[in-house]
Every structure is written in structure tokens, then in C-alpha cells.
Amino acid sequence: MKKKHLIEDPHLEYMELAQNPGSQTAASQQPSAQPAAEFKHIGKYTPRIDGKKIVTGTAQFTQDLYVDGMLQAKILRSPHACADLVSIDLSQALSYPGVKAALKLKEGRIKWAGEQIAAVAAVDEKTAEEALKLIKVEYKVLPHVVSEEKAMEQAAPLIQDQGNVQKSNEYNRGDIEKGFKEADIVFEQTYKTSWEVHQTAETHSSLAKWDGDNLTVWDSTQAVQSVRDGLARALSIPASRVKVIKHYMGGGFGSKLGLNDHTVVAARLARETGRPVKVVLTRQENSYCVGYRPSARMTIKAGVKKDGTLVALHFKNYNCGGIGRGDRCAEPTTDVYRCPNVKVEEYSVFVNTCGSRATRAPGHTQGTFGLEGFMEELAARLGMDPLELRRKNYSAKEKGDTGNPYSTKGLDQC
Amino acid sequence: MENSRKKKKTVTRRAFLQSLSGGAVGAGVASRVLGKEPRSIQSGPGEMEVFSSKRIALTVNGKKVGFETEPGETLLQVLRDRLRLTGTKRTCNRGECGGCTVLLDGKPVYSCHILAIQAEGKDILTIEGLASGDKLHPVQQAFIDKDSYQCGFCTPGFIMSSVALLDKNKQPSLDEIKAGLSGNLCRCGNYQKIHAAVAAAADAMRRG
């Protein structure tokens, strides 16, 4: 079949492309480029349209919004990492002057210190804070575990019925045993990364306002649509009745992707009181209630030839993201360098802390730290220049030179 | 408090902590310690006036404003909650990040770490008072020209610290700029462009 050219033949049909994926060819000639000096925008400085608002302090972030009749809410959180909730008594808080509503937010098993227990909406933040102290909560405190090593022990309290250590990822390419047999040198190292909290400059905040059956939420969020859909599900109302607005956000770094629990609280308290309700988390709440980058404990074992050629790579990782599954960190190892025999085993270790959350390149940050630290040490072990070792195993395609070509990479040009 | 105020021209973080008797750190503590009835308590180096609420007047951006304040109410709370000057940000609210920086008699201070009553009788300048009408302060203009913000949340605090620095030092070196802004944190990591803006503003201000 004659190959058609996409640029020369703009009528190439989609179905034909789908049925014969090789039927297109690369461009036969470079399109003629305009000289850079003639560009109108590229390479030229363009001031941000919101610059003046930012430098004059008139850019309104969620915490800066004050609307008529607005109440402020505060959330009572569990001081215990593991407990059964026996009872919550809101009566004294409800009768505190200035308090307009209070909600119970939890029943059953508490799995991390910081879980929402109850909330109060009051005329101002200080009143809400004082009222929180009047909420009586009875807990049946249970044994907990927050250390990853202890969680892996036989006697550790169970965070999940299926066990505190669960397989979260596996991958095989080639034959790892054969690879190690072919190797002149086998080298192994372990790399650990710790938890890392996003600590956005603006703490997570939401302002909720009902207009009849329609809800408007101003949220400090990276994802207005998913907050809208999450609110609709949480409140059992159609998404068409929810509008989520974000004008300015003081940093997110992944911790403001998706709906937050306190946003639902603001919406529920606003519905109950018939008034707008704002929740602004404190710096302390931002430190332990809205996620973090999970830890990793990566053991990398490589089989190499004397000249530095990788013939086997084994990546074993225990990642810990509290009550969540943590990140998969293997992709740099499976992808970046050419190696025919690769094996990956990753496990999630569960402990009694808030679940981890996406943090700027989830999994890749930990995985790249492990892999590139390993390449440095491997180069030293081989007596090789670290850049030379990387060039030696350079891969132009993902999946260790077996997948799709990289659009940009450039390590070979170093 | 009166005595220590006369002795020291500005309220330092150290003096503030000492006035709360060393261990009692944080503005919220004051109201719990003090109770409802006016009385005096001995608190370390000086005597502290105790009240449940008090009418005070502050001079903010050249205008005098009077209101009732409660013990433990910080300058930051007053600026934001009472005066709606929300350009001053509540960021860490514990005297560590500089997001709430305002100028008190020309000196940069963390407004989350100063009680409203401590600011009485002083000139308070916030980000809202920096421009003259439509004409931006050279530091504000330089932040726009050098694209010195990403999310923009820490920007007002950085600008106020920069203004204070350039008031003292007309031609700061890069190291002096870094030292002058060492009390402000930018979580997006935009420091290089912030430093460039301060240098550009210094040039512009020298040219007049």
C-alpha cells in the first residue's frame, strides 16, 4: 500500500488511519519557519493580565471572600489515630451564643488523627473555635500504628482487613534470572524518601452559598469540575445545581485536586443555616489533614556488564501513604534506560495517618531519586563516568527502548 | 506594656513573647490567660494591662479608624476581619512565613504576631496603601515587569518587605536583597524573579 503523506494529503481519512496505522509517513520537508525576530508573542514578555490585582492586594483568594450574612465554620478533629466513636454531644456547643448550627460528621471506626468528627458554624471564627471546645465526644481508643516498619510486623494493629502490606504494582520484561546470570557484576542499594507535605501558601478553604436548590462554592482548588461533581455526589443533588468558582488559588501542588471533606461541611452547614458559610483551614490542619507525598523504600538491584551495559534491573518498593495506597514509583526504572530484563514489585504499607495525595509528579519524584542515586553509585562501583554510564544505556523510546518514541528527551545531547 | 513601648520604638518578636511571660506563645493564649475582669498581672519584665474589650484607634494607610478590640486580637485579624483589608494574607499565622507583612512606622512586621493594641499610635501601611491612586509603587511595577509571582499569594508580603528594605538601602546587593527578604517564604519557589524585581525597583527609584 502506498504511504500517504499527512500534510500533502489532508483528506487522509480517520478510518483509514485507524485501520492502517502505518499508512502515514513523516513530513517530507520542514515547514518554512518565520524568523524568530518577526514573532509577535513567542519569545516576547507579556505581563500577566492579573498582575496589577496581585501586586495591589486586590486579587481575592477564597480566604479573602466576605459576603453578607456569612458564617464561619470550624471542624473538630479526632485526637486519636485509631478509635471507635461512641457518642457526640453537640448540645452545649449549639447553645453557645453566636453558634448557628452544628453537625456530627463521623460514626464508627476512626483511622487517623485528624479525621473530621463534628463542625460548628458561628458568627465569627473565634466563636466557632470556642464552641468546638464544648462538644463532648466519647471515644473508645484502640491500638494504632504510624510507623511503616511496625505496621509490617505480625502483631501490628490491622488498618485494612486484607493486611497492612498489599501488592500495588508488578511488571515483568524479559527474563530477570537470565539477565542476572549474564551479568559480570550485580549491585544492590536501598533508597528511602520521606513524606513531604505540600504546605500551600493559602490553606485549603471553601465558601458555600445556597440560592434555593442551587449551590455556589468558591473553593481554593485545582479542579473546579471534580469539586462540582464530588459535591453533587456527596449531597445527592444533580451536578447541574452546583457551581464551583476559583478565581485565585494560593498554591496547590496536587493537594487541591478533587473534593475536600471540609468543602462538603461548608455546603451542609450553609444549607442548614440558610446562610453562606466559609471554612478556612488552619496551618496546623494543612499539615496533617489534606494529604502529602507518600514515602518510598526502594531496593534496586542491577546486573551489568563490565562496560556498563545494563542486562537486569530489579525494582522492589514499599511505599507508605497512610490509609491510602501511596504512589507507584517504578516507571523511571522500567522506562528511562535500555534494559532487556526488568522486574518490578511494589507494595503499599498502610498506617494510621491521613491518606497521601498527588504531589507534583506522583511516584516519579521518589522513583527518579532512587534510580538516579543508584546510577551514580553504580558508576562509582564500575569506575565509570556517571554520564557515560547513562549514555551507554540511553533509550530513545519509553519502556526501556521497547515502547513509543519520546517526544523530547535530550540526555544523549549532554 | 506602656513602659516597654516607650523604651523600644517598635515591637519586636522577642519583646512580644517576653510580654506574654515567655512560655505563653501565640496571640490566642492571651485571652484565655486574662479572663473577663480587668486586672493587672505580673508578666515577666513588665506589667500587662488586662481588659475584656477596649476601644482603640489605628492609623491604617493614612486613615484613622476606631473600633472595639478584644484581648488577643492580632493586627492581622483586625486588618482582615474588621477592616476587610484582605491583601494582607493569613498564611502560617504563627510568625514564620512573612505572608502577613505590613509596615509599622516603616518597619516590616508580621501582623499575625502583633496584637492590635500594640499597633495603636503607629502608622500602619498595608499593600492596599502603597500605590498612589492608579500609580503603582516602583516595587509593585517591578514585580509586574519581572513576572515575580506565580500563585501571587505571598506577593503582598514580599512587596512590603522589599519596600522597607529599599527605604533603608537604596542600592542593595543581591546578598543584601536576600537578607532583607529572608523573613518571607514563597512556596512556588519564585525567589530569583523576586530578587530581580527588587534590584529593578532600586534602579527605578534611584533614577526617580
Side-chain angles (χ1 to χ4, degrees):
Chain A
M1 178 185 169
K2 188 180 174 294
K3 289 197 172 186
K4 291 189 182 179
H5 195 287
L6 275 178
I7 293 174
E8 288 159 4
D9 181 7
H11 303 295
L12 189 66
E13 287 189 9
Y14 178 76
M15 189 52 79
E16 190 185 334
L17 263 178
Q19 285 165 353
N20 301 295
S23 65
Q24 76 278 24
T25 65
S28 59
Q29 59 186 59
Q30 290 289 321
S32 63
Q34 198 182 351
E38 291 172 21
F39 287 152
K40 207 171 155 191
H41 298 293
I42 297 172
K44 304 258 191 324
Y45 172 66
T46 304
R48 265 169 60 171
I49 55 169
D50 52 3
K52 193 169 179 184
K53 282 191 164 182
I54 290 173
V55 302
T56 52
T58 51
Q60 286 197 309
F61 295 76
T62 303
Q63 68 160 235
D64 301 332
L65 300 171
Y66 293 78
V67 295
D68 284 346
M70 185 181 87
L71 302 172
Q72 302 225 38
K74 283 278 170 191
I75 295 163
L76 181 71
R77 297 178 181 276
S78 170
H80 305 295
C82 190
D84 278 333
L85 193 66
V86 179
S87 66
I88 306 174
D89 180 0
L90 300 174
S91 55
Q92 277 194 50
L94 276 166
S95 59
Y96 189 74
V99 170
K100 302 296 175 190
L103 288 177
K104 295 178 184 177
L105 300 172
K106 184 74 190 174
E107 46 190 33
R109 177 69 50 89
I110 293 155
K111 287 192 172 179
W112 54 279
E115 266 198 72
Q116 296 186 150
I117 302 298
V120 165
V123 288
D124 57 35
E125 226 174 353
K126 194 181 162 201
T127 307
E129 256 165 39
E130 292 299 318
L132 281 194
K133 296 174 196 161
L134 302 173
I135 297 175
K136 289 203 175 72
V137 186
E138 200 185 328
Y139 301 96
K140 185 183 170 219
V141 180
L142 300 166
H144 70 272
V145 60
V146 291
S147 136
E148 178 195 328
E149 284 77 15
K150 290 211 171 96
M152 293 172 75
E153 289 170 7
Q154 205 70 50
L158 270 187
I159 283 89
Q160 291 213 355
D161 293 341
Q162 306 93 307
N164 290 351
V165 182
Q166 293 177 34
K167 189 168 241 183
S168 58
N169 189 22
E170 62 178 310
Y171 171 83
N172 288 289
R173 185 166 76 225
D175 181 342
I176 192 77
E177 294 309 325
K178 183 172 148 276
F180 280 121
K181 273 184 202 140
E182 288 170 6
D184 296 325
I185 297 159
V186 173
F187 184 65
E188 180 183 309
Q189 284 290 20
T190 296
Y191 300 87
K192 275 196 78 168
T193 61
S194 189
W195 290 356
E196 189 187 351
V197 180
H198 307 79
Q199 288 301 11
T200 56
E202 181 195 25
T203 59
H204 293 52
S205 359
S206 310
L207 167 61
K209 182 174 177 282
W210 289 86
D211 192 2
D213 291 335
N214 295 312
L215 172 66
T216 304
V217 170
W218 289 263
D219 200 20
S220 181
T221 180
Q222 293 171 258
V224 285
Q225 292 92 344
S226 70
V227 172
R228 175 200 61 201
D229 295 346
L231 277 167
R233 276 192 298 274
L235 300 166
S236 303
I237 56 172
S240 57
R241 294 199 181 282
V242 185
K243 184 171 166 187
V244 177
I245 300 170
K246 188 269 309 244
H247 287 144
Y248 291 91
M249 179 190 68
F253 317 123
S255 74
K256 290 175 181 171
L257 286 169
L259 179 69
N260 283 284
D261 294 338
H262 67 263
T263 310
V264 183
V265 174
R268 287 181 59 193
L269 285 168
R271 188 163 57 185
E272 183 134 335
T273 56
R275 291 168 68 166
V277 172
K278 183 163 83 168
V279 179
V280 180
L281 297 196
T282 63
R283 181 56 50 190
Q284 190 184 20
E285 286 174 304
N286 250 64
S287 306
Y288 71 106
C289 300
V290 290
Y292 52 88
R293 187 198 297 285
S295 65
R297 185 153 52 87
M298 301 164 278
T299 300
I300 306 178
K301 185 177 165 188
V304 276
K305 295 287 197 188
K306 279 187 189 127
D307 68 354
T309 305
L310 287 167
V311 289
L313 265 177
H314 183 217
F315 181 88
K316 189 174 184 183
N317 177 30
Y318 292 94
N319 66 63
C320 182
I323 58 160
R325 297 199 75 89
D327 288 346
R328 296 172 172 193
C329 306
E331 204 168 305
T333 301
T334 60
D335 274 42
V336 177
Y337 297 109
R338 191 174 55 241
C339 180
N341 308 300
V342 179
K343 184 178 174 64
V344 168
E345 300 167 78
E346 293 199 81
Y347 300 90
S348 300
V349 181
F350 296 94
V351 298
N352 288 111
T353 61
C354 172
S356 66
R357 212 161 178 184
T359 311
R360 309 197 70 168
H364 277 248
T365 307
Q366 305 94 305
T368 302
F369 173 78
L371 176 67
E372 296 304 331
F374 181 80
M375 292 299 272
E376 289 291 312
E377 294 200 79
L378 180 60
R381 171 71 195 274
L382 291 165
M384 243 178 123
D385 180 276
L387 181 57
E388 223 24 69
L389 175 67
R390 290 177 170 94
R391 276 185 173 147
K392 183 96 199 160
N393 296 287
Y394 182 75
S395 149
K397 295 175 186 161
E398 58 165 7
K399 296 270 175 276
D401 234 12
T402 63
N404 292 320
Y406 285 111
S407 50
T408 55
K409 197 173 181 187
L411 175 66
D412 57 339
Q413 287 152 40
C414 285
Chain B
M1 195 48 98
E2 271 307 312
N3 290 339
S4 68
R5 205 188 284 172
K6 271 172 198 155
K7 263 183 267 163
K8 279 190 163 287
K9 215 173 167 204
T10 53
V11 181
T12 63
R13 179 172 160 156
R14 179 176 295 269
F16 171 69
L17 295 181
Q18 280 171 346
S19 74
L20 285 178
S21 187
V25 179
V29 175
S31 63
R32 288 202 292 279
V33 173
L34 305 186
K36 290 223 187 306
E37 290 305 307
R39 60 194 166 89
S40 281
I41 53 168
Q42 194 67 37
S43 58
E47 202 156 270
M48 187 177 232
E49 190 192 353
V50 176
F51 56 89
S52 57
S53 80
K54 184 182 179 182
R55 189 156 183 87
I56 62 165
L58 296 182
T59 309
V60 183
N61 299 331
K63 282 184 211 137
K64 206 158 190 177
V65 283
F67 51 86
E68 290 281 320
T69 184
E70 290 167 16
E73 195 168 20
T74 62
L75 179 56
L76 175 67
Q77 286 175 308
V78 166
L79 292 174
R80 291 181 56 85
D81 295 340
R82 294 190 190 274
L83 307 180
R84 298 282 191 269
L85 292 169
T86 54
T88 304
K89 302 302 179 198
R90 188 174 95 176
T91 309
C92 73
N93 206 23
R94 51 185 295 149
E96 289 177 1
C97 76
C100 64
T101 302
V102 299
L103 303 191
L104 211 58
D105 285 346
K107 297 228 163 72
V109 295
Y110 291 162
S111 61
C112 74
H113 245 51
I114 290 206
L115 298 177
I117 47 163
Q118 290 174 298
E120 205 178 6
K122 296 178 190 303
D123 273 329
I124 301 157
L125 183 66
T126 74
I127 189 76
E128 289 90 347
L130 202 53
S132 322
D134 266 353
K135 185 154 172 49
L136 297 179
H137 186 282
V139 171
Q140 290 173 311
Q141 189 59 52
F143 267 68
I144 294 178
D145 295 342
K146 296 292 174 187
D147 195 31
S148 304
Y149 32 64
Q150 288 185 46
C151 79
F153 197 78
C154 69
T155 308
F158 266 101
I159 288 177
M160 297 316 288
S161 293
S162 304
V163 168
L165 168 69
L166 295 180
D167 191 45
K168 274 196 314 195
N169 184 347
K170 307 286 178 213
Q171 199 166 358
S173 66
L174 179 60
D175 280 346
E176 287 168 337
I177 292 172
K178 286 180 182 175
L181 301 182
S182 59
N184 292 72
L185 298 179
C186 166
R187 189 58 170 149
C188 301
N190 216 31
Y191 294 101
Q192 283 185 334
K193 287 183 171 185
I194 293 170
H195 300 153
V198 178
D203 285 346
M205 287 163 82
R206 278 200 311 278
R207 283 198 309 269

